[in-house]
Amino acid sequence: MAIVLERDGLPKIDPLMGARYWPAVQAYWNRRYGLSRVEASALDGQENLDAL
């Protein structure tokens, strides 16, 4: 079931810690049940520290 939910946005298990980051999991469920007004933004790519 977790694999299906991960396709929908459930955070994946962090390989270093061996668990899911709980605040992100809670935010996922809040969004799923309409309890959050803020949507997580998509990653915008690599950082470019030479841009400044």
Side-chain angles (χ1 to χ4, degrees):
M1 187 180 299
I3 293 171
V4 174
L5 292 173
E6 283 176 353
R7 289 185 211 142
D8 189 43
L10 179 69
K12 295 185 182 284
I13 294 174
D14 182 277
L16 179 64
M17 299 303 291
R20 299 177 201 277
Y21 180 60
W22 180 246
V25 172
Q26 190 171 18
Y28 165 78
W29 288 112
N30 285 342
R31 282 191 309 275
R32 185 169 170 94
Y33 288 101
L35 301 175
S36 174
R37 295 181 186 179
V38 178
E39 289 290 323
S41 61
L43 297 176
D44 60 357
Q46 291 282 9
E47 259 186 57
N48 182 358
L49 300 176
D50 296 325
L52 299 175

